[in-house]
Amino acid sequence: MHLKINQNFKDNIDFIKSSIHNFKSTGKLFGDGKRNSIKLFELNGKTINIKSFKIPNLINKIAYKYFRKSKARRSFEYATILLEKGIGTPEPIAYLENYNWLGLKDSYYASEHLDCDLTYRELVEIPNFPDHENILRQFTQFSFHLHQSGVEFLDHSPGNTLIKKSVEGFYEFFLVDLNRMTFHDQMNFDQRMKNLSRLTPQKGMIATMSNEYSKLYTAKTEAEIFEKMWFYTQEFQDKFSRKQRLKKKLKFWKS
């Protein structure tokens, strides 16, 4: 077993260990648990969540022991880096890895639990969501800050940014599901635009984001930003559609 804990929670190490050890029988289930299981626990009046990552296949069991960092460890380390860069994410608390002779058995990531007002997904699915355009523009500013900080969030998708209303007209943004991330000294134009390609298929939202991004990224015109962002969005949507069609065919042949 390997446990790493945030020093702010060092006095709670026994509680963290016990919660993980008894993960299957304790805690309150959060989410659908289709891929990874998340449970909520109460700690000194604060809600924390612990994610149990899907048990890796044989190849990844070996890889995560000898060649790659586990998803739990990456989540903890990336959250720490984000906070150091002034980027919102729930405070990391700990990660724990269990190994056997073959490789990684299972792994867990504990963090602060945030109750959000919405995610980016609501902006996509509810066109008349209150203060829609203002939130979208502030989200674009947040994404620009990510890019300026050299953060390429590879899972920058609709459900992975929690949005909280702070004061009237202003919002805070917090990244979750952090295990896929690349850090750069500087991100080029194509990297920036491609990083925004998974968020929405709606051309109007892309136009608004392009307009806001162009106010901050003066190396390109609004038209150039829109053209490139829309190009990568269409490319992603085409790949996603093909993948969904293939899944349906495979499901049909299996049935």
Side-chain angles (χ1 to χ4, degrees):
M1 182 187 79
H2 175 71
L3 172 69
K4 173 77 173 181
I5 192 161
N6 181 333
Q7 287 302 298
N8 293 335
F9 293 86
K10 62 182 180 180
D11 293 337
N12 307 113
I13 189 167
D14 290 336
F15 175 85
I16 305 267
K17 282 183 177 179
S18 174
S19 298
I20 292 175
H21 180 72
N22 300 297
F23 185 83
K24 289 184 179 179
S25 58
T26 59
K28 180 182 177 182
L29 189 64
F30 180 77
D32 56 28
K34 287 182 179 178
R35 294 184 65 225
N36 308 304
S37 295
I38 299 175
K39 286 193 171 181
L40 304 184
F41 299 83
E42 295 301 317
L43 174 62
N44 300 331
K46 178 185 288 190
T47 302
I48 68 171
N49 76 46
I50 299 178
K51 177 186 282 190
S52 171
F53 287 93
K54 182 180 177 181
I55 295 174
N57 60 34
L58 178 60
I59 293 173
N60 282 335
K61 282 179 182 289
I62 298 169
Y64 287 144
K65 183 172 184 178
Y66 299 105
F67 307 109
R68 297 179 63 201
K69 295 178 181 179
S70 72
K71 291 181 179 181
R73 179 175 176 179
R74 278 181 275 151
S75 297
F76 181 90
E77 292 181 352
Y78 293 167
T80 303
I81 293 171
L82 290 178
L83 292 176
E84 289 172 351
K85 291 178 176 289
I87 295 165
T89 193
E91 184 176 13
I93 295 174
Y95 74 88
L96 184 145
E97 301 162 324
N98 285 316
Y99 294 94
N100 59 17
W101 64 271
L102 182 61
L104 182 69
K105 282 175 57 183
D106 49 22
S107 61
Y108 303 83
Y109 172 58
S111 67
E112 171 192 14
H113 182 74
L114 289 180
D115 289 318
C116 63
D117 295 305
L118 71 151
T119 67
Y120 186 96
R121 179 173 284 113
E122 279 72 25
L123 300 180
V124 179
E125 297 178 350
I126 310 173
N128 60 347
F129 192 91
D131 214 15
H132 187 286
E133 182 174 334
N134 181 33
I135 300 171
L136 183 59
R137 289 184 179 276
Q138 289 189 39
F139 172 84
T140 305
Q141 295 166 17
F142 170 73
S143 294
F144 176 80
H145 176 50
L146 282 183
H147 297 162
Q148 287 296 99
S149 302
V151 177
E152 186 179 7
F153 182 33
L154 299 176
D155 280 328
H156 202 26
S157 54
N160 286 343
T161 300
L162 308 184
I163 305 173
K164 292 184 70 174
K165 191 171 185 177
S166 54
V167 295
E168 189 64 34
F170 292 93
Y171 299 85
E172 296 177 283
F173 302 86
F174 303 85
L175 299 183
V176 295
D177 211 355
L178 305 179
N179 64 85
R180 295 182 64 244
M181 201 168 285
T182 302
F183 297 96
H184 305 269
D185 291 331
Q186 192 171 25
M187 286 180 68
N188 63 38
F189 180 55
D190 279 82
Q191 287 171 328
R192 291 165 181 255
M193 296 299 99
K194 192 168 186 177
N195 189 235
L196 300 171
S197 66
R198 302 178 62 182
L199 291 163
T200 176
Q202 297 181 21
K203 202 169 186 178
M205 292 181 70
I206 297 297
T208 299
M209 292 174 68
S210 300
N211 175 262
E212 191 63 32
Y213 205 96
S214 70
K215 297 175 184 177
L216 304 166
Y217 190 72
T218 56
K220 298 289 182 180
T221 66
E222 181 180 343
E224 288 172 315
I225 290 171
F226 173 80
E227 181 181 7
K228 189 66 73 171
M229 199 186 299
W230 183 238
F231 168 80
Y232 281 123
T233 296
Q234 288 180 302
E235 182 181 68
F236 171 76
Q237 291 298 327
D238 288 344
K239 287 180 181 177
F240 179 77
S241 296
R242 288 197 299 270
K243 189 175 181 181
Q244 292 302 107
R245 288 195 297 269
L246 180 60
K247 280 184 177 180
K248 285 183 180 179
K249 286 181 182 179
L250 291 173
K251 192 174 182 180
F252 170 78
W253 287 110
K254 286 180 180 178
S255 62

